[in-house]
Amino acid sequence: MTGYPPEPWHLAGQAYVSVWRVPTEDLPALPTGAEPVILGSRAQVVTAWIDYQDPGQLSYHELLSTVAVRGRGAAASITEIWVDSEVSLAGGRALWGIPKDLAALDFRHGSTFTATAATGDDWIATAAFTRRLGAPFPVPSRFEVVQTLDGRLKRSPVTSKARPHLARADWAVNPGGPLGYLTGHRPVANLHLRDFTLRFGG
């Protein structure tokens, strides 16, 4: 099955997010016309393990890496992303130019959330998140995702609500894999975005 919902997608679930500061020379390629946000010669990279759950339109697992870019407010470009859903892969590529690939993603929820991602070629990354204090109520956010679609820069709006919790995270990244540019770096912040709801696209 590769039929996918029209945009916007209405999704829900759990997200485990890390923020990294990466030297500009180590960044992966960005879409033509997208400029990274640079602070002190470093770019801001955000990675996320996302478990899309009911009552959202689709249920699947995802690992992604994004680079903060200049935009009309907060904006990011997705440089690497893996899902375990052919429907999500087809829709993400066709609707928004998101370069989704398939991977085996294993998530274990509990007092510590653990996740692994691998393809038939090799492992990509593993992580463990332990949630700490957080907000007792949902906090809204708004940003845009900047990709290339049909040879043009496409800016897709995203709005969401979640209860953010600070977290401790331990990552292992395959230095020879597609996220190898994170090797040798540690996240500067980690969050569990608990019980999020999200609207993606126009």
Side-chain angles (χ1 to χ4, degrees), residues 38-57:
I38 305 300
L39 299 173
S41 77
R42 290 178 179 258
Q44 322 315 303
V45 173
V46 178
T47 56
W49 304 85
I50 307 176
D51 190 351
Y52 294 103
Q53 304 168 338
D54 291 337
Q57 288 177 284

Side-chain angles (χ1 to χ4, degrees), residues 78 91-100 147-150 154 156:
I78 299 171
R93 289 190 172 200
L95 295 173
W96 305 296
I98 297 173
K100 296 186 178 185
Q147 306 296 142
T148 300
L149 181 65
D150 298 329
K154 180 174 178 62
S156 302

Side-chain angles (χ1 to χ4, degrees), residues 7 14 57 88 90 118 125 147 154 159 162 176 179-180 186 199:
E7 65 174 322
Q14 311 297 320
Q57 288 177 284
S88 174
Q147 306 296 142
K154 180 174 178 62
T159 57
L179 296 182
R186 294 177 60 86
R199 173 189 164 117

Side-chain angles (χ1 to χ4, degrees), residues 112-138:
T112 296
F113 166 79
T114 61
T116 64
T119 65
D121 298 325
D122 208 348
W123 69 288
I124 301 167
T126 68
F129 284 73
T130 303
R131 191 176 70 211
R132 294 179 175 175
L133 296 176
F137 49 84

Side-chain angles (χ1 to χ4, degrees), residues 7-34:
E7 65 174 322
W9 287 5
H10 297 273
L11 303 169
Q14 311 297 320
Y16 296 84
V17 177
S18 295
V19 181
W20 314 68
R21 300 194 68 228
V22 176
T24 55
E25 61 268 21
D26 293 340
L27 286 181
L30 292 171
T32 301

Side-chain angles (χ1 to χ4, degrees), residues 65-122:
S65 183
T66 73
V67 177
V69 297
R70 298 185 182 278
R72 299 166 294 204
S77 184
I78 299 171
T79 53
E80 294 87 21
I81 179 169
W82 299 270
V83 297
D84 57 6
S85 162
E86 292 187 358
V87 172
S88 174
L89 182 149
R93 289 190 172 200
L95 295 173
W96 305 296
I98 297 173
K100 296 186 178 185
D101 286 314
L102 292 175
L105 296 160
D106 182 70
F107 291 3
R108 305 292 175 92
H109 294 278
S111 56
T112 296
F113 166 79
T114 61
T116 64
T119 65
D121 298 325
D122 208 348

